[in-house]
Amino acid sequence: MTTQEVAARFNELAQQEKWFEIQDELFAENVRSIDPVDSPYMGYAEGKIPVRKKGETFVEKIEAFHSAHTTEPVIGGDHFAVGREMDVTVRGFGRIQLNEIMLYEVKDGKIVSEQFFY
């Protein structure tokens, strides 16, 4: 798949809040997941299984899901980015409104990195 096709499929699944399906279908085996260095929520993971565990760990901490929205992808070369707003109650942090940019790199038809800016 091209970056455009990966971004389109990503968007289709993201609009349905199917984040683990995105990982299963679109992530490369050697995918990297990078949060800001000082993130109080998550950190760094490399490899499809550790990245999945990172996502599961975050989801397990969500006590209440109030709302979320993901923008349409913006594509540039081998990358695409989406904006994401999320209003959740997280164990240990309380209710948070997370506004972030999520940047993805595509190689050989698969997502090889995701990086979060918040």
Side-chain angles (χ1 to χ4, degrees), residues 19-27 48 52 110:
W19 297 97
F20 291 124
E21 287 87 343
I22 288 171
Q23 290 181 349
D24 292 342
E25 183 178 331
L26 301 175
F27 281 18
K48 202 168 184 176
R52 174 62 167 251
K110 293 287 186 180

Side-chain angles (χ1 to χ4, degrees), residues 6-26 70 84:
V6 170
R9 180 63 177 149
F10 177 99
N11 185 55
E12 180 182 339
L13 294 169
Q15 296 309 315
Q16 299 172 56
E17 294 292 321
K18 294 185 174 180
W19 297 97
F20 291 124
E21 287 87 343
I22 288 171
Q23 290 181 349
D24 292 342
E25 183 178 331
L26 301 175
T70 305
R84 175 114 170 122

Side-chain angles (χ1 to χ4, degrees), residues 5-67:
E5 291 167 332
V6 170
R9 180 63 177 149
F10 177 99
N11 185 55
E12 180 182 339
L13 294 169
Q15 296 309 315
Q16 299 172 56
E17 294 292 321
K18 294 185 174 180
W19 297 97
F20 291 124
E21 287 87 343
I22 288 171
Q23 290 181 349
D24 292 342
E25 183 178 331
L26 301 175
F27 281 18
E29 290 300 321
N30 63 340
V31 66
R32 295 175 297 127
S33 181
I34 308 158
D35 277 73
V37 174
D38 296 334
S39 172
Y41 310 116
M42 303 303 285
Y44 177 86
E46 188 169 342
K48 202 168 184 176
I49 293 171
V51 168
R52 174 62 167 251
K53 182 64 178 163
K54 177 183 171 193
E56 289 172 345
T57 298
F58 182 71
V59 170
E60 288 168 1
K61 292 179 182 178
I62 295 175
E63 296 177 336
F65 185 87
H66 307 290
S67 66

